[in-house]
Amino acid sequence: MSHSINQEQVDFAQHVRTTCHRLNNFLTILQCQHEHLAGLPSSQLEPELAVVLQDLEPLVDTAANDVLELSKQCRDFLEGVIHPDTSQKLD
């Protein structure tokens, strides 16, 4: 039994790591877009900003969903660690 719990913990840690890498990639894209927009003359800023925001929309949605899902999974994981008897009874 403890082997499967350890494997579940390893799998969860890998999932957290993968999600954090995806979020870091998203933040890198935001930083690059910020630097790109900062270098534009003011006359080009508004039209370019509209394009950038349109391109970022699906990435923002994905990142928001990743954060929400990871938050829920972390809460569930911590509840299982803090109250392991409760999670055992639910199975």
Side-chain angles (χ1 to χ4, degrees):
M1 181 77 161
S2 94
H3 181 269
S4 66
I5 291 173
N6 288 337
Q7 186 59 47
E8 288 175 12
Q9 291 172 345
V10 168
D11 292 344
F12 179 68
Q14 183 60 39
H15 173 69
V16 169
R17 183 174 185 260
T18 300
T19 302
C20 288
H21 280 291
R22 279 198 315 268
L23 292 171
N24 188 51
N25 289 341
F26 169 70
L27 293 174
T28 300
I29 290 168
L30 284 180
Q31 182 179 6
C32 290
Q33 292 295 352
H34 175 267
E35 290 170 2
H36 167 71
L37 292 170
L40 293 176
S42 59
S43 63
Q44 294 178 355
L45 188 58
E46 189 173 332
E48 187 63 22
L49 181 58
V51 171
V52 167
L53 291 175
Q54 187 175 12
D55 290 345
L56 287 175
E57 184 179 4
L59 299 176
V60 170
D61 288 343
T62 300
N65 288 334
D66 282 349
V67 168
L68 182 60
E69 185 63 29
L70 187 59
S71 174
K72 289 176 185 175
Q73 291 171 347
C74 287
R75 185 174 39 252
D76 292 346
F77 178 80
L78 290 173
E79 286 176 3
V81 171
I82 294 170
H83 306 289
D85 293 338
T86 305
S87 66
Q88 295 291 333
K89 290 178 185 174
L90 295 175
D91 290 343

